[in-house]
Amino acid sequence: MRIFLISLLTIGLTVACSQSETQNQEAEELTLEQQVEQYLSEADFDAAMNAVEEASPENADELKEQIHLRHGIHLIYNSQPAQMRESANNALREFIKVLEINPENEKARAEIDQILAIYRSFPDRQPEQEVLDKLEEMGFQV
């Protein structure tokens, strides 16, 4: 009986280790774009940005644009109601970064317009002053 349990435990450990090795190899075989997409799907925006900065690919700006856009969207649509103002300000910062990379990004512009419209519907509410200043520099009606 002991031999059976020890054999079973050994087989289980061997299988677990080989699966872990396989997963590590698969992660190493992913392209940078695939790694970034995986991080984004897990909402790990810092890891996605670190991967791009470490690799310094030719399309770094495109990848950073995508990361900032998805991070902003995540912040605004997944925030807790009690933290909505902070999330909205952080989302606006992310969308500003998108437009600094690509001033023609329509999705970032639409998201900014939508957030600003929500702010306008509340009296005495507005984004933080530094965010407002940056948006005004970019031509938004605040």
Side-chain angles (χ1 to χ4, degrees):
M1 184 67 162
R2 282 186 184 170
I3 295 173
F4 176 72
L5 290 175
I6 292 173
S7 298
L8 189 60
L9 180 61
T10 303
I11 292 171
L13 287 173
T14 303
V15 170
C17 289
S18 68
Q19 286 177 347
S20 177
E21 232 175 83
T22 302
Q23 289 171 348
N24 288 339
Q25 288 173 345
E26 288 174 2
E28 291 173 5
E29 293 173 6
L30 294 176
T31 65
L32 177 61
E33 290 79 5
Q34 291 169 327
Q35 288 176 9
V36 167
E37 184 57 40
Q38 183 174 352
Y39 288 132
L40 293 178
S41 69
E42 297 167 356
D44 193 348
F45 303 101
D46 291 333
M49 190 61 72
N50 288 338
V52 171
E53 289 175 353
E54 287 175 12
S56 300
E58 289 181 19
N59 63 341
D61 283 344
E62 292 172 21
L63 291 170
K64 288 179 181 181
E65 177 184 355
Q66 179 184 8
I67 294 166
H68 289 301
L69 182 65
R70 299 257 304 263
H71 191 192
I73 290 169
H74 177 80
L75 286 168
I76 201 65
Y77 291 106
N78 294 299
S79 68
Q80 300 295 322
Q83 297 177 340
M84 189 56 143
R85 183 167 193 262
E86 181 179 340
S87 293
N89 279 304
N90 289 332
L92 287 169
R93 285 184 186 96
E94 291 297 320
F95 297 135
I96 288 169
K97 290 176 185 176
V98 170
L99 295 178
E100 288 173 341
I101 295 168
N102 177 6
E104 304 301 317
N105 188 303
E106 292 298 320
K107 180 67 174 164
R109 290 187 171 282
E111 292 294 335
I112 290 171
D113 287 337
Q114 184 174 357
I115 293 169
L116 292 177
I118 293 169
Y119 269 113
R120 286 186 204 106
S121 69
F122 293 104
D124 302 324
R125 298 273 177 138
Q126 64 182 21
E128 291 178 3
Q129 191 60 48
E130 67 167 286
V131 174
L132 284 174
D133 293 343
K134 194 67 177 171
L135 290 171
E136 287 175 354
E137 286 175 22
M138 296 180 134
F140 285 92
Q141 298 284 329
V142 185

